[in-house]
Amino acid sequence: MALSTALLLSLAACGGGGGGSGGFLPTGGTGTNTGSAGTGAATGGDSGSTATATLSGIAATGAAFAGAKVTVVDQRGVTVCSTETDAKGAYECPLPAGTKAPLVVTATRDDQILYSTTASAAGGNVNVTPLTTIIVSRLSPNGDPASLAGAIATRPDVVTESTVKQQVAELVAALKPLLTLLGDALDPISGAFTADGSGHDRLLDSIAVSVRPDGSAANIEITVKSVPTNGEEPVSIAFRSDATLPVLPPEVATATLAPAGASLSVAALFARMEQCFALPLSRRVNAPNDTAAVTGGPSDVIAPECRTLFAGDDPASFRNNGATVGRNSNNQGAFAGLFRPGATGLKYDRGQLEFFRSNGDLVLSYRSVDSVGGVQNQTIVAKDVGGVLKLIGNQYRYVVNVAPTVQERDFLNASAFNYLSVSYDVSIPKQNDGGGNAIDHVVVKAPNGVSYTYKPQPGNANLQLERVDGNGTANTTLLRLGSGFRDAAKSGSPSLIEGSYFLAPQLSDDQLRLLPEQGVFTVDFSFVGGGTATQTHRMITRVPTIAEARQRQFAELSPTLREELKAEVASNQAIVFDAPNANEPSLIDFSAAGDTDGWTVPAGAPVPTALTVFGRSATSVAFEDRADFNGSARKAKIFCSTEAGGGDDHCTTINGNSLYAAGTRITLFQLSATDAQQVLYLKGFATYLPAN
């Protein structure tokens, strides 16, 4: 089911491409500090204010954290204020009489949450940023910033004027080389600044921060967004929330960073994209009307508002993982939404610079929302042209998607064995080189230097991982690095009770958290006939640890559908199709009785946008079929689809319809969701029993 979105782009890749930095990159290393000292604050442990005070500040990640819900919780556990940030990330909260310090401030936007704190109920400036989130994490007894509001109810002494100042001082010391480069001396909590890419906001633009609670502490990493000078690996520091902060290396003081105003340049690009899609179809592209989708290529894009989005004001300059601007009869192509009426009115927001590629191009993350509420978190590559950002894509010929992945396996009839695994999903579709030669194999080199081989297999649209023990294909695209049971008290390894392929030896959580936050994968293609090609792909974030994964929420089956499936698969450990007939077509209807919802999405859980089924045909050929849908969907249908190339016999055709053939078995239903950091969350409902 096609989405009414403008882009169907793969995870942005590093390396490749051409062109210099243009006017967007700075030539020097100085910055300006527009912030000033914050207002005075009372000491911690106030018994409560006797008059109304006002708390205000900026929520920002470099880009303004616009449209976020801000809540202020006091020492009693009372929510004393609830408001929303404006377009510039600013908020203002009047505090009622009786508010008791210390206070915890939270800014929430979907699955993105920032935290801050103050030891006073007297009002003043309290910013909410990734840096203040680090401070809250280090003040929280278990490292989880979400736990601090509960902790101060019985231990208000963890947030005092003294403890906050100490954490601020330690964080400033850790960032000293970067602060020297930028000239920023602002207090991250109480200092006044504007989310315009200057001063303290330029510092936020220049770093990526991850805070990952794991139940006992948080794993924190600060990565500098500088233009790479030594390969593609970024400069970063990693530490536990309860450990001493390391200091950024001195070479950061000479790094090339985004200049003042970078966040505004990124916002301006997505505002221009929105202006393009505000036009009706016949004004965007060569189309006879505004109601019917058309096919076409770069030359058919006619609106100046759309053409000027691209380098050289020419859509033909854009290429991303093999896709060029256009739409074919199969609805494929980059920016295919330009050619569809359903994409009219597409909205773009939450643009963020994630990192620079070695040639100076910028990898940007963003959110798109279509006219029916369909949401996608995606990335795209842009370059500076005379101080204006233009879309260029990663300029790669071949499609490769590499995503950090958290997978929960839910055994419908053996819940005691439910487990979590963390992996990198290396998705490489079957594709040909310029001479029409198919892929023979692909060697993928992971960030830790270990190489893995992927090969095409019948019934699978994507290349499958070869087992490292030499015993054939693993029938998966996942490099499963680590695993653990959902119940942390359960001992043993899921690899011993599950038929899925796990790399051996499995990495411990201590090993997983040492993986680089923005690791680089090298992908070497070998084609039938001898052709070769190489691409490199850089992540936005690393794969989580098992303990970190246990802290996350996942989509769940509706109780009704769960019971239906449990009863259906109890005897065969699979959904087994009979011969299709006109009265009961053989397709997958993933909904509960009465066409009601098939799944639910708890608060804070990533929202699924795809359902994939896995199984085998009557002759044991493995296959997978998939349906994509709007994030608001809670049920889905999947129609049988035969993989080209021969050997796939899980479908049959009756009266022109492709249906599941007799004897075809479905053994796994899997919901897929992607968060703003491009982490893939897979919730799989297994019909079979583990080998316990």
Side-chain angles (χ1 to χ4, degrees):
M1 293 186 286
L3 291 172
S4 308
T5 52
L7 301 177
L8 291 175
L9 297 179
S10 303
L11 183 65
C14 63
S21 61
F24 186 77
L25 293 177
T27 55
T30 60
T32 58
N33 176 18
T34 59
S36 59
T39 58
T43 59
D46 291 344
S47 61
S49 59
T50 57
T52 300
T54 299
L55 203 66
S56 61
I58 298 293
T61 58
F65 208 56
K69 180 181 180 182
V70 175
T71 57
V72 181
V73 177
D74 76 353
Q75 192 263 333
R76 302 165 300 168
V78 175
T79 300
V80 295
C81 181
S82 181
T83 186
E84 188 171 296
T85 58
D86 64 17
K88 297 181 179 180
Y91 78 93
E92 189 171 283
C93 263
L95 301 177
T99 297
K100 187 175 182 180
L103 312 177
V104 175
V105 184
T106 304
T108 304
R109 200 172 64 180
D110 300 326
D111 59 351
Q112 297 175 298
I113 307 176
L114 302 176
Y115 299 87
S116 193
T117 190
T118 177
S120 171
N125 200 78
V126 177
N127 300 315
V128 195
T129 72
L131 291 180
T132 65
T133 302
I134 292 176
I135 292 170
V136 171
S137 172
R138 289 175 61 78
L139 290 169
S140 180
N142 68 351
D144 188 348
S147 299
L148 184 60
I152 61 175
T154 56
R155 292 186 55 190
D157 60 307
V158 300
V159 179
T160 65
E161 183 178 18
S162 175
T163 60
V164 171
K165 282 185 175 180
Q166 179 183 351
Q167 291 300 330
V168 169
E170 291 179 6
L171 184 58
V172 168
L175 297 175
K176 185 177 180 180
L178 188 58
L179 297 175
T180 300
L181 174 61
L182 296 175
D184 181 16
L186 191 69
D187 184 324
I189 293 180
S190 63
F193 76 100
T194 304
D196 60 0
S198 67
H200 184 65
D201 196 57
R202 187 182 174 198
L203 170 65
L204 299 177
D205 260 335
S206 301
I207 57 174
V209 173
S210 66
V211 178
R212 302 167 179 265
D214 65 9
S216 59
N219 300 309
I220 303 173
E221 189 157 346
I222 302 173
T223 303
V224 179
K225 300 177 184 178
S226 57
V227 178
T229 57
N230 183 20
E232 294 290 347
E233 296 291 347
V235 177
S236 64
I237 53 174
F239 51 95
R240 296 277 283 174
S241 58
D242 54 0
T244 302
L245 272 71
V247 178
L248 284 170
E251 59 263 29
V252 170
T254 59
T256 302
L257 308 172
S263 57
L264 297 184
S265 297
V266 173
L269 169 63
F270 290 111
R272 300 197 324 267
M273 290 173 65
E274 197 166 297
Q275 291 168 4
C276 165
F277 282 93
L279 300 173
L281 177 65
S282 62
R283 288 185 56 191
R284 296 197 302 265
V285 299
N286 284 316
N289 54 56
D290 297 326
T291 58
V294 294
T295 59
S299 62
D300 293 300
V301 180
I302 58 176
E305 294 91 336
C306 301
R307 295 188 65 83
T308 55
L309 291 172
F310 302 94
D313 297 340
D314 183 2
S317 66
F318 184 92
R319 178 186 288 273
N320 197 86
N321 281 4
T324 56
V325 173
R327 179 180 180 273
N328 62 21
S329 58
N330 294 321
N331 196 37
Q332 295 177 332
F335 286 91
L338 285 171
F339 300 82
R340 298 198 309 266
T344 302
L346 199 65
K347 302 295 184 183
Y348 292 92
D349 61 7
R350 305 184 183 180
Q352 182 87 29
L353 168 62
E354 295 294 346
F355 58 82
F356 286 102
R357 299 165 77 200
S358 58
N359 65 355
D361 289 349
L362 302 88
V363 174
L364 311 175
S365 62
Y366 67 95
R367 185 185 75 159
S368 64
V369 184
D370 65 22
S371 59
V372 295
V375 175
Q376 286 195 343
N377 294 306
Q378 297 176 309
T379 58
I380 197 168
V381 182
K383 69 182 301 180
D384 165 61
V385 179
V388 178
L389 294 185
K390 299 278 189 173
L391 301 176
I392 187 69
N394 60 30
Q395 294 296 304
Y396 282 157
R397 169 70 173 79
Y398 302 106
V399 183
V400 175
N401 299 293
V402 185
T405 302
V406 183
Q407 185 178 44
E408 181 172 17
R409 185 60 48 89
D410 183 335
F411 293 101
L412 292 171
N413 286 312
S415 60
F417 294 93
N418 291 355
Y419 71 88
L420 292 158
S421 65
V422 294
S423 57
Y424 286 106
D425 185 17
V426 183
S427 177
I428 306 173
K430 294 175 181 176
Q431 51 202 301
N432 298 333
D433 65 9
N437 299 302
I439 293 174
D440 179 76
H441 68 276
V442 171
V443 176
V444 177
K445 185 178 180 181
N448 61 359
V450 180
S451 295
Y452 305 93
T453 300
Y454 283 75
K455 291 185 177 181
Q457 293 292 323
N460 296 104
N462 295 313
L463 274 60
Q464 302 292 292
L465 173 67
E466 288 284 290
R467 295 173 60 100
V468 295
D469 58 11
N471 293 327
T473 303
N475 291 319
T476 183
T477 62
L478 297 173
L479 294 172
R480 288 189 175 89
L481 302 177
S483 60
F485 290 106
R486 166 55 85 173
D487 180 0
K490 188 176 179 62
S491 61
S493 172
S495 63
L496 301 177
I497 57 95
E498 171 65 294
S500 299
Y501 181 63
F502 295 77
L503 296 177
Q506 292 276 280
L507 299 184
S508 68
D509 272 7
D510 285 342
Q511 292 171 314
L512 288 168
R513 67 184 178 86
L514 294 178
L515 293 173
E517 188 70 15
Q518 294 188 357
V520 177
F521 284 76
T522 301
V523 183
D524 291 317
F525 291 84
S526 294
F527 295 91
V528 175
T532 61
T534 298
Q535 296 178 180
T536 53
H537 295 255
R538 177 171 165 181
M539 306 297 95
I540 293 177
T541 188
R542 67 162 168 80
V543 66
T545 69
I546 297 299
E548 292 167 355
R550 286 194 180 103
Q551 311 306 309
R552 293 307 306 261
Q553 294 272 4
F554 288 77
E556 297 289 348
L557 282 178
S558 67
T560 303
L561 182 56
R562 179 177 290 275
E563 293 306 313
E564 290 175 6
L565 286 174
K566 288 174 65 174
E568 179 71 20
V569 305
S571 58
N572 293 316
Q573 298 188 42
I575 299 291
V576 183
F577 284 94
D578 296 325
N581 59 72
N583 295 325
E584 190 173 345
S586 295
L587 55 84
I588 294 168
D589 187 346
F590 202 67
S591 62
D595 197 30
T596 56
D597 288 352
W599 65 88
T600 61
V601 183
V607 178
T609 56
L611 172 68
T612 306
V613 294
F614 298 84
R616 289 185 177 273
S617 71
T619 60
S620 293
V621 174
F623 70 89
E624 61 182 83
D625 289 331
R626 171 178 170 130
D628 296 286
F629 40 74
N630 190 303
S632 63
R634 296 295 181 268
K635 53 189 175 182
K637 291 182 180 180
I638 297 181
F639 297 86
C640 197
S641 177
T642 301
E643 181 63 29
D648 182 3
D649 60 353
H650 79 286
C651 300
T652 188
T653 301
I654 297 179
N655 297 327
N657 298 315
S658 183
L659 305 173
Y660 285 95
T664 296
R665 301 169 61 87
I666 305 293
T667 55
L668 182 69
F669 299 87
Q670 183 166 272
L671 291 168
S672 305
T674 303
D675 69 8
Q677 292 296 301
Q678 304 296 298
V679 178
L680 179 62
Y681 290 87
L682 303 175
K683 181 62 178 280
F685 305 100
T687 66
Y688 56 92
L689 297 176
N692 55 71

